[in-house]
Each structure stands twice: as structure tokens, then as C-alpha cells.
Amino acid sequence: LKKIERLVELVSSLMLRYEDETKLQVVQSLILFSWCYYCSSSDKNVPTMEFLLNLGYKSSLGMADGDIDRPADNSENEWRATLQDYGYLVTDNFDLMIAESVRSGFFIENIFNGEVAKKNEEVLASKSAGSFSDAWGVYHDSFNNNQEQVIGELYESFKINIKYISVTNLNGTVTLFRELGEADLATEIIDLYIEERLNELELFDLANNNTFGDIKDSEIIEKFNQIYEESLTVENVSDVLERIAGKNSWNHSDEVVLANTTVDQYYELFSTEQGSHLSSYVNTCLRFGRSSNASDESKHISSNAQEALERIASESEINRCRLKRFGIGI
């Protein structure tokens, strides 16, 4: 309870400008993840963090993660019932951020603000007239023979609320339209979504945004992958480092670009760049490999950059001295 109190106190000052519903979701998730993190090892009635973190849309329907034909065991069913009673159904990126804060005991402010701002936009959209959730209510809340009305209201609401709709909800809408014989309309809303959200390139990174495998529509997958792969060729290593150097966060697409940069390309970059930003470029590349839980991709970035810097250090005595402050050659 004291750990929950401390986390809520830490986060309160960061939430002043958000809707009350958003603040409530933050606190509810903090309480839930703290309970699971600290109590599941000693109380089998408490869901484990692993179960909670893997609670995707398939799991929320009672299917075991990774195997939709295998029903969950009794303990998982009990945990799911407990979570449903609490009002918690699905883990998303917002909840993953909360979980990491519970584990570490602190919040990274820029990451927190980014995820909570997205959640706040969803709250604002759900409170607006003609919200997307209201349109889905026409489908879920009766057994009327009203297919034309359902399709029409979902389509119109989709266009109004498109900037707030997640990729998972896009997939759900497209799937329903296809099942109701509206394949052309499904393609149309995919294209509308892409056109409206094209500047949010991270949306199209399905390696990061399809954690639970809920995005299955082949047309969405094909078009999103094409857009994301094309976006990676637009920026080079200099563009990425100019944007992320000196910051504590970056996108997965930034890591992809840096990981695909060769030793020779790092050598060329570090040898030709001049100015106060050079040190920040070097530090940014090297820090990818310093984390205790660094991915293979991150280690590869650091390794290539270090090899390039070691080559530079070997070329002259003055460069050997210069690079000591980065830990090169020591």
C-alpha cells in the first residue's frame, strides 16, 4: 500500500492537465500492477505479472496466449474473472508503460507523458458525440436485423474519430466489414486510416504494435509493412542521430536504421562530422549497448560504433587521447 501511495504521489503532478477519467485509469493500473508484482508470488489467487502483461484481445476472450484452440487452465480463468470484476480486460502500450514504472519504482517523464496523452485523446474521443464506441454499441447491444445501420454508423463514426482509433480497432472494424460482405468498404477505411495517420510512422511498425497477434487482416499487414519499410529508407544515420542525440527515448525505427549502419558508415560519419554535437552522437551510439537488458539490435549498434571509433583511435595519437573519454581503448 505504501508503494502504491508513493507511485501515485510521484505521478500526480504529471497528470494535472488530463481528464479525470484518464487520471483514474492511471491510478487503477498502478494499483493493479503493484498488487500483481508484489503479491502474486505469495498468493496464488493474485494474477502473475506475466499473465497480466500477456492479456491481449485473444486472452481476454478466454483463449490461451499463443494457442487459440487451447482453453486457459482454472487458475487463469479465476484470474480473468478477478480482472473483469476490477474492470480490466486488455493490456495495451499504456499499461506496459505503467508496469515498467511499477517494476522500476519511477516514471520516465517524457515516455509517461507520451503514453498518457494518447490515452487522454481516447478518453476525449469516447466522450464526444458520435464516438466510435457508441457506434460499436449499435452492433453489440441488440439482436436486431440492422446490418445496414451498423455498417453505416461504424463507417461514419470511423471517419470522424479516425485520429483516435487504434490499429487493433481498425483491424476489428475491417474484419467485421469483410464478414458482412463489405470488402470494398474495408479497403476504403484502411486507405483512409493510412492517409490520415501517415505522419505517425510508429503506427505502421507491426513488430512493435502487434504484441498480442490481434492484427490479422492480410491487407492491413501488407500495406502497413510496405509503408514502414519504405520509411526506413528515407532517413540515414545522420538524420536519426541529429534527432535523438542527447535524449532518453527513441523509436524502434531509429534503432532499425542505426542497427543497419555498418562499421564503415559509422567510421565515415564520425570522421567527417565536426562540432559540439559530435560527442553527443558518439555517446548516443555507445549507450545502446550499456543497458543490462539491451537487445541484440542495441548491442549491434554499440558494437559497430565502437569498432569504428577504435579504428579512428588507431590512426593518430591525438585521436587515441580524444577517445579515452568515451572509454575507447581503455
Side-chain angles (χ1 to χ4, degrees):
L1 289 173
K2 296 302 292 183
K3 290 180 183 295
I4 292 170
E5 181 186 31
R6 176 181 171 275
L7 286 170
V8 172
E9 287 176 348
L10 281 175
V11 84
S12 293
S13 63
L14 303 178
M15 297 194 297
L16 297 177
R17 68 180 184 274
Y18 298 120
E19 298 294 301
D20 288 343
E21 293 86 349
T22 305
K23 297 173 185 176
L24 181 61
Q25 287 193 44
V26 170
V27 173
Q28 285 180 326
S29 289
L30 277 176
I31 291 169
L32 177 62
F33 277 96
S34 296
W35 181 53
C36 293
Y37 184 61
Y38 290 108
C39 300
S40 60
S41 60
S42 59
D43 186 345
K44 299 306 180 185
N45 293 318
V46 180
T48 64
M49 280 287 278
E50 181 183 10
F51 177 81
L52 198 56
L53 292 173
N54 285 286
L55 196 66
Y57 283 84
K58 287 185 299 184
S59 299
S60 70
L61 296 174
M63 300 298 185
D65 194 51
D67 184 357
I68 62 173
D69 297 319
R70 179 177 66 83
D73 61 32
N74 287 335
S75 61
E76 291 178 350
N77 285 330
E78 289 296 325
W79 292 343
R80 189 171 293 106
T82 298
L83 295 174
Q84 288 174 347
D85 287 343
Y86 188 66
Y88 189 96
L89 299 177
V90 176
T91 297
D92 57 17
N93 287 339
F94 166 81
D95 298 302
L96 294 177
M97 177 272 297
I98 295 291
E100 184 57 36
S101 299
V102 168
R103 282 170 164 165
S104 64
F106 62 87
F107 297 90
I108 300 175
E109 187 169 339
N110 61 332
I111 296 177
F112 176 86
N113 284 332
E115 291 299 330
V116 177
K118 292 177 190 175
K119 183 61 66 175
N120 199 62
E121 287 184 349
E122 293 176 13
V123 168
L124 289 170
S126 69
K127 293 166 69 175
S128 66
S131 72
F132 198 51
S133 57
D134 288 342
W136 270 101
V138 178
Y139 172 70
H140 286 297
D141 297 343
S142 82
F143 292 118
N144 294 336
N145 186 14
N146 59 344
Q147 177 172 325
E148 186 174 338
Q149 178 190 2
V150 167
I151 292 172
E153 294 201 18
L154 279 174
Y155 175 71
E156 293 302 326
S157 182
F158 186 94
K159 291 191 294 182
I160 294 170
N161 297 284
I162 195 167
K163 65 180 293 188
Y164 305 114
I165 294 172
S166 68
V167 182
T168 303
N169 282 334
L170 167 66
N171 184 88
T173 309
V174 166
T175 300
L176 178 63
F177 280 10
R178 293 199 194 285
E179 290 180 352
L180 296 178
E182 297 288 347
D184 290 343
L185 208 55
T187 295
E188 181 180 341
I189 66 170
I190 293 171
D191 292 339
L192 283 172
Y193 191 88
I194 291 172
E195 182 182 352
E196 183 69 26
R197 308 288 291 271
L198 193 57
N199 63 328
E200 302 172 58
L201 287 177
E202 288 309 301
L203 273 180
F204 302 96
D205 178 14
L206 295 183
N208 260 0
N209 289 331
N210 197 17
T211 308
F212 305 109
D214 297 309
I215 301 164
K216 296 182 177 296
D217 186 79
S218 59
E219 186 176 357
I220 293 176
I221 292 171
E222 180 182 352
K223 289 183 175 179
F224 275 43
N225 284 340
Q226 181 181 351
I227 290 168
Y228 190 67
E229 287 167 9
E230 289 174 354
S231 75
L232 298 182
T233 64
V234 174
E235 289 192 307
N236 58 34
V237 62
S238 298
D239 297 326
V240 171
L241 288 174
E242 182 179 358
R243 188 178 65 257
I244 72 171
K247 298 179 180 177
N248 291 320
S249 64
W250 43 80
N251 298 322
H252 180 249
S253 59
D254 300 327
E255 286 193 61
V256 172
V257 172
L258 295 178
N260 286 323
T261 300
T262 66
V263 173
D264 288 341
Q265 288 170 325
Y266 278 118
Y267 174 83
E268 178 68 19
L269 172 72
F270 295 143
S271 298
T272 56
E273 287 290 332
Q274 296 185 21
S276 59
H277 62 277
L278 178 58
S279 294
S280 185
Y281 282 15
V282 171
N283 278 322
T284 297
C285 291
L286 294 177
R287 73 188 299 186
F288 275 95
R290 291 174 183 156
S291 171
S292 59
N293 59 347
S295 64
D296 290 341
E297 199 170 57
S298 294
K299 292 176 182 176
H300 188 63
I301 295 168
S302 180
S303 175
N304 281 359
Q306 180 160 332
E307 186 175 338
L309 292 167
E310 288 171 351
R311 188 189 301 177
I312 293 172
S314 70
E315 292 176 342
S316 67
E317 188 64 24
I318 191 170
N319 278 343
R320 185 183 69 82
C321 292
R322 284 168 172 154
L323 284 164
K324 280 184 179 179
R325 65 193 174 102
F326 299 105
I328 302 297
I330 299 178

